[in-house]
Amino acid sequence: MKANRAQLEKALKNPAATRLFLLHGPDEAGNQALARRVGAALGPEAEKIALSGAELKGDPARLADEAAALSMFGSGRWVVVSPAGDEVTEAATALLSAPAAGNPVVLIAGALKATSKLLKLATADAQAVAFASYLPDARDFARLVGELARARGLQVQQDVAQRLAEAAGANRPRASPRCRRS
């Protein structure tokens, strides 16, 4: 399903109920931050399995297998595929058509064209959530600075948040060490 922000927020609160998250669009840092929220919602003991699109292109059944596997430690489990593009369409198809998955999968893609097979697959399936992240404008970025500060128990005045946003050049990884690429 093509999700709006409210639908995505609802899915992120209970990621185990969603089989596939497709996070795409030009805001790479935003997509990475959303992916981390899936893991955070599953708990600190959740096992993260990291794969690349190239790995799945050579072994498309692996995605469904990893999503159905049990954690070695009895905790939650989630799978992240980055970068992901149309090369993982076959793997995503196998995942969505599997009788059971058990663990959420997050595909992190860059900008996808409307003709993308992966995007069409994700938007057509009710077990999937597809969300496009766009680069924040200056006002959005100042709001993000405030949210990052509050998450760390700090208060930032609006004018200071605006100056920090301008100093970071609307570059989220420069504004917060927790938003760096993993």
Side-chain angles (χ1 to χ4, degrees):
M1 118 176 117
K2 182 177 180 180
N4 60 32
R5 179 56 83 168
Q7 292 166 321
L8 175 69
E9 291 295 331
K10 182 178 178 184
L12 288 173
K13 287 179 183 171
N14 184 19
T18 301
R19 192 173 287 197
L20 175 72
F21 289 88
L22 173 59
L23 305 174
H24 65 99
D27 186 6
E28 182 181 333
N31 289 331
Q32 294 287 344
L34 291 170
R36 283 191 299 276
R37 287 183 57 194
V38 171
L42 293 172
E45 288 83 32
E47 182 182 3
K48 176 184 175 184
I49 307 301
L51 302 171
S52 71
E55 289 176 278
L56 294 177
K57 183 177 182 182
D59 185 7
R62 183 172 178 195
L63 186 61
D65 292 344
E66 293 287 358
L70 297 174
S71 172
M72 290 177 30
F73 307 107
S75 59
R77 193 169 200 268
W78 60 302
V79 181
V80 178
V81 180
S82 179
D86 280 341
E87 76 277 3
V88 302
T89 303
E90 187 177 346
T93 301
L95 171 70
L96 292 171
S97 63
N103 302 302
V105 171
V106 179
L107 303 179
I108 301 175
L112 296 175
K113 295 181 180 179
T115 58
S116 164
K117 292 178 183 179
L118 181 60
L119 183 57
K120 287 181 179 183
L121 174 69
T123 56
D125 198 302
Q127 301 174 94
V129 171
F131 182 77
S133 294
Y134 296 99
L135 296 171
D137 63 20
R139 184 177 37 193
D140 290 335
F141 197 79
R143 179 186 47 77
L144 290 171
V145 168
E147 289 174 6
L148 290 169
R150 278 189 298 284
R152 289 166 180 75
L154 303 171
Q155 291 181 348
V156 178
Q157 294 177 343
Q158 183 63 29
D159 63 323
V160 174
Q162 186 65 39
R163 281 185 279 167
L164 285 170
E166 290 169 5
N171 184 335
R172 212 178 303 202
R174 285 182 60 200
S176 169
R178 290 174 81 51
C179 292
R180 290 179 199 232
R181 291 182 185 176
S182 53

